[in-house]
Amino acid sequence: MMMRKYQPKGRPGQQHRSGNFSHGQKADKLDEIINNATGIGANQTNGLSTSRYTQSRQNLRIIPMGGVEEVGENMTALEFGDDLLIIDMGLAFPDETMPGIDYIIPDTKWLEENKRRIRGVIITHGHLDHIGAIPYILPKLGDPPVYTMALTAAFVKKRLEEFGLIGRSKINVLTKDDVLSLGNFKIRFFRTNHSIPDGMGLCITTPVGQIVYATDWKFDHTPVDGKPTEFDKIAKFGAEGVLLLMSDSTNATKPGYCISERELGITIDRTFAEIKGRIIFANFSTSITRIQQVFDAAAKYNRKVIVTGRSMVNNIEIALSLGYLKIQPKIIIKSEQAKKFPDNQVLILTTGAQGEDAAGLARIARGDHKTVKIKKGDTTIVSASPIPGNERAISVMLSNLTRLGSHVIYNKTLDIHTSGHAQQEELKLMIALVKPKYFMPIHGEHHMIVAHAELAKTMGIPESQIFTLDNGQILEINTAREAKIVVDPKIVTGYVFIDGLGIGDVGEVVIRDRQVMAQDGMFVIIMTLDRRTGKLINQPDIISRGFIYMKGNDDLIREVKHEVRKLVESKGKEKLEPNWAYLRNVIRDEVGEYLYQKTERRPMILPVVIEI
Ligand SMILES: [Zn+2]
């Protein structure tokens, strides 16, 4: 898996990412006060062009709902005639500019309005950036049927079960040679290698031509499970004629080939051979092939394995029950049994290689894990490359571990991780096999998408036949097989923020408020005014939090109060009728400017009017 943290877009010319967020918050009294105070209106319109656009149902429309402006929240919709097909429903992780947000998922309002036309949802593989949003989105789309391979189906069911949604959508298990017919779409599959078993690519036959959809794949000639990517099928689709190839851009900037997972197995083996004490091995819980190699090396060096972390326990159980993981009997022990074994016969397998706060390794590193306590002589192996944005959290975690006495090995000191995503030479081979007329790079941030487009150009695909889209834009192909990018004002995509139990009730306004408060604190001005005269009845009250300490700043506070009094007196006279909203705006702007001059800080200013 390579789930990069969500990156704010900040497209040139687009101010503060306006336009691509969903707005779901209720405008209650407090919101109103805060909106007035911050000068941010809740009704921002989307920035897409609203030029007149009429759609012909006889055109094929391909709509990335997410995943082409970030690594994460992958979701694509295909439309022809009355039929809609959805591929993947992923989530993305927030970055540090989104305080309090747990996940980000695509905005699916348009799909909700068209849910009766959805023929099915195909899931390519079991990583969270492809299945994570399923429990949030599937019920809103009327629980359409899901189609996927066995291991992915088990992960999807587990996730639905955790949300109490099991039994609503039918989860159909496919095999790689099945042919699926959903309305105007006929779908065939090919197995791909990735860092999780059961990854698959799609060949979708539509009334205007064939699409090859290849996300999260690499060419591994010696995969650990002995099941390489099905080159023969890809070449066969290419020979039949492919109108459009959509392909993974995650590693489009990296030259050469990915190293095989098997190479990694050799590194793991060599590393284990030299370790004398306990081993703590942290890894993505979905990287079943990596986990297989850890079990193999553990068995070879006579180590028992303690599995900790809920997702690690669940996923290992699922993979074992379906035969995707093969381990020695009795190699897994409970943590209480560890005392019976010397340190050089114990391995602890856990989650949290990205430094995630709540995951196993971070808790072990903080010393508050229930059963695992670090001691001198331990070796911790972190098997993942840091997702950009996580470096700091990982670094802190590693230092905590070394303070507790553990030796630490991670990708910078030893290549203990390989990517699951094709690099340049593999990407070129895919294009060569598929020989598409049109090319659309997917799965990546904008610069990765562009790098992939450049590669396609060097392979001889004319620039006019390469399409780089933003989320929510549409690649439309008509029956004459002419393709162009169009924008349909009805399709508004963007980000829905998940905060605790709230889905989409936190919008851009709330995020921006959190950013302002986190940076410079807040400053509340309470004014008690006479309803009829608009005059201040007594001194304004000031509350400051996270901005300045009130004690010791008496002068500044006194000056602000003076300023407020002056403003109320002068502005009150300008209007015949007392206009509190206007007054609040003036106070916010003027006091904001005043505080900035004095402190060079911009706290959130909340003017509150109480009328008597
Ligand atoms: Zn993946």
Side-chain angles (χ1 to χ4, degrees):
M1 170 161 63
M2 168 100 182
M3 191 154 47
R4 189 150 310 196
K5 280 194 157 193
Y6 162 84
Q7 296 290 319
K9 288 178 212 176
R11 278 186 228 139
Q14 211 185 14
Q15 220 192 10
H16 208 102
R17 302 196 302 274
S18 71
N20 273 345
F21 287 82
S22 79
H23 302 288
Q25 68 267 58
K26 292 184 199 90
D28 61 14
K29 198 71 190 159
L30 187 63
D31 271 340
E32 199 182 299
I33 290 171
I34 290 173
N35 286 337
N36 284 331
T38 52
I40 299 165
N43 297 316
Q44 314 226 336
T45 53
N46 81 67
L48 296 174
S49 143
T50 51
S51 58
R52 213 163 277 280
Y53 169 74
T54 44
Q55 173 214 354
S56 159
R57 284 281 174 88
Q58 289 315 301
N59 293 346
L60 172 68
R61 304 208 301 171
I62 298 136
I63 313 155
M65 311 298 294
V68 292
E69 296 183 50
E70 57 276 300
V71 176
E73 57 152 2
N74 297 288
M75 184 168 175
T76 305
L78 263 61
E79 184 187 39
F80 189 93
D82 205 28
D83 300 325
L84 275 169
L85 176 69
I86 296 171
I87 305 167
D88 289 337
M89 276 184 192
L91 55 73
F93 287 116
D95 63 22
E96 49 281 295
T97 67
M98 300 169 189
I101 297 303
D102 302 324
Y103 308 117
I104 303 152
I105 62 172
D107 187 336
T108 52
K109 223 164 285 138
W110 177 74
L111 286 172
E112 288 158 41
E113 286 157 13
N114 290 279
K115 63 183 176 190
R116 58 158 201 91
R117 301 203 283 127
I118 297 171
R119 303 293 168 243
V121 180
I122 298 177
I123 303 294
T124 57
H125 68 290
H127 279 153
L128 280 180
D129 54 339
H130 295 258
I131 69 166
I134 286 178
Y136 301 107
I137 295 176
L138 219 47
K140 288 196 286 183
L141 301 184
D143 303 300
V146 172
Y147 300 87
T148 192
M149 303 280 274
L151 182 68
T152 318
F155 285 171
V156 168
K157 280 185 192 158
K158 188 82 205 171
R159 208 161 159 74
L160 287 170
E161 196 181 291
E162 282 164 9
F163 283 75
L165 294 168
I166 199 79
R168 291 176 54 160
S169 280
K170 185 164 175 5
I171 313 296
N172 300 277
V173 177
L174 299 167
T175 62
K176 67 185 181 60
D177 296 318
D178 283 343
V179 179
L180 183 62
S181 272
L182 296 171
N184 272 297
F185 304 105
K186 187 183 92 181
I187 306 112
R188 290 173 292 170
F189 305 93
F190 56 96
R191 186 176 56 219
T192 56
N193 296 125
H194 188 40
S195 44
I196 186 170
D198 263 2
M200 59 179 187
L202 319 175
C203 178
I204 306 161
T205 308
T206 78
V208 303
Q210 301 208 106
I211 300 172
V212 168
Y213 190 96
T215 187
D216 295 56
W217 60 274
K218 69 175 184 179
F219 290 147
D220 189 343
H221 303 298
T222 53
V224 171
D225 59 7
K227 295 173 180 168
T229 296
E230 292 181 296
F231 291 98
D232 51 337
K233 278 193 190 169
I234 300 171
K236 181 171 163 267
F237 299 142
E240 289 172 5
V242 172
L243 184 60
L244 170 71
L245 169 64
M246 300 168 74
S247 183
D248 183 340
S249 311
T250 315
N251 279 339
T253 56
K254 295 197 182 133
Y257 298 88
C258 280
I259 52 169
S260 170
E261 275 284 328
R262 195 173 296 269
E263 297 284 320
L264 191 77
I266 297 166
T267 311
I268 291 174
D269 186 298
R270 214 180 292 137
T271 311
F272 281 20
E274 286 167 12
I275 297 173
K276 303 279 181 290
R278 295 193 305 177
I279 297 174
I280 294 104
F281 196 100
N283 191 34
F284 281 128
S285 65
T286 48
S287 294
I288 302 299
T289 45
R290 186 91 34 98
I291 291 168
Q292 177 72 61
Q293 301 192 92
V294 171
F295 272 105
D296 291 348
K300 182 171 169 189
Y301 296 104
N302 197 26
R303 286 180 186 266
K304 297 288 180 194
V305 179
I306 298 163
V307 181
T308 169
R310 191 173 52 112
S311 64
M312 190 63 92
V313 172
N314 286 343
N315 292 355
I316 286 178
E317 266 173 22
I318 289 170
L320 280 173
S321 70
L322 294 173
Y324 287 85
L325 193 59
K326 292 183 179 64
I327 62 172
Q328 271 191 351
K330 299 196 179 132
I331 191 170
I332 296 181
I333 58 166
K334 294 213 160 63
S335 51
E336 308 86 68
Q337 294 171 273
K339 284 187 226 85
K340 287 192 246 163
F341 297 89
D343 287 350
N344 65 357
Q345 289 177 21
V346 175
L347 182 142
I348 296 151
L349 184 58
T350 184
T351 54
Q354 292 295 333
E356 308 96 307
D357 230 22
L361 190 58
R363 282 187 286 138
I364 291 170
R366 285 196 304 265
D368 62 6
H369 193 277
K370 262 191 287 178
T371 53
V372 182
K373 302 273 175 252
I374 292 289
K375 58 184 180 187
K376 218 168 176 49
D378 286 347
T379 300
T380 306
I381 301 174
V382 181
S383 176
S385 59
I387 293 170
N390 288 352
E391 293 92 342
R392 185 73 205 133
I394 295 173
S395 185
V396 167
M397 184 175 74
L398 297 180
S399 293
N400 284 341
L401 286 162
T402 46
R403 271 184 201 287
L404 290 170
S406 176
H407 178 55
V408 166
I409 298 174
Y410 83 119
N411 77 313
K412 293 226 174 106
T413 48
L414 181 72
D415 201 353
I416 205 94
H417 174 74
T418 175
S419 175
H421 299 267
Q423 294 177 202
Q424 287 178 351
E425 294 309 313
E426 296 158 90
L427 296 172
K428 286 189 207 165
L429 181 52
M430 178 65 92
I431 294 170
L433 288 170
V434 175
K435 300 189 296 278
K437 178 174 186 196
Y438 297 120
F439 180 61
M440 177 175 161
I442 54 168
H443 203 287
E445 290 169 28
H446 191 259
H447 72 98
M448 302 169 185
I449 301 266
V450 168
H452 202 177
E454 295 293 331
L455 271 188
K457 253 192 271 175
T458 67
M459 300 280 300
I461 301 184
E463 195 168 353
S464 60
Q465 289 165 223
I466 300 171
F467 298 97
T468 58
L469 276 71
D470 284 334
N471 293 335
Q473 289 185 330
I474 303 159
L475 182 64
E476 190 170 276
I477 308 177
N478 63 20
T479 41
R481 296 160 64 92
E482 296 158 337
K484 62 173 184 214
I485 297 177
V486 296
V487 172
D488 178 347
K490 289 200 291 290
I491 301 180
V492 179
T493 58
Y495 302 115
V496 173
F497 298 112
I498 313 253
D499 179 4
L501 294 176
I503 304 168
D505 58 349
V506 172
E508 182 191 9
V509 175
V510 176
I511 294 287
R512 212 182 302 171
D513 289 350
R514 288 183 188 179
Q515 290 166 350
V516 170
M517 285 190 281
Q519 218 155 41
D520 287 324
M522 62 192 262
F523 194 84
V524 185
I525 303 160
I526 302 167
M527 297 161 285
T528 312
L529 303 179
D530 185 300
R531 189 191 305 270
R532 286 162 300 127
T533 62
K535 291 219 165 79
L536 270 170
I537 290 174
N538 40 34
Q539 274 284 66
D541 275 321
I542 307 282
I543 304 166
S544 157
R545 289 286 182 272
F547 167 57
I548 50 161
Y549 196 46
M550 304 262 293
K551 266 187 205 153
N553 281 293
D554 301 341
D555 287 351
L556 183 66
I557 299 295
R558 198 166 34 243
E559 283 161 29
V560 170
K561 286 182 179 173
H562 183 66
E563 245 350 82
V564 170
R565 185 170 277 283
K566 258 189 357 202
L567 284 166
V568 173
E569 274 164 21
S570 63
K571 298 299 160 191
K573 276 180 212 148
E574 279 175 23
K575 302 266 161 189
L576 288 172
E577 289 290 307
N579 182 334
W580 305 143
Y582 169 77
L583 181 66
R584 277 197 304 252
N585 281 338
V586 171
I587 299 270
R588 187 189 55 238
D589 293 348
E590 301 276 330
V591 174
E593 210 34 57
Y594 182 81
L595 289 177
Y596 183 72
Q597 278 169 19
K598 295 280 173 187
T599 64
E600 293 204 0
R601 294 176 206 168
R602 291 201 185 277
M604 172 184 289
I605 295 171
L606 299 177
V608 178
V609 171
I610 299 170
E611 17 165 54
I612 292 181

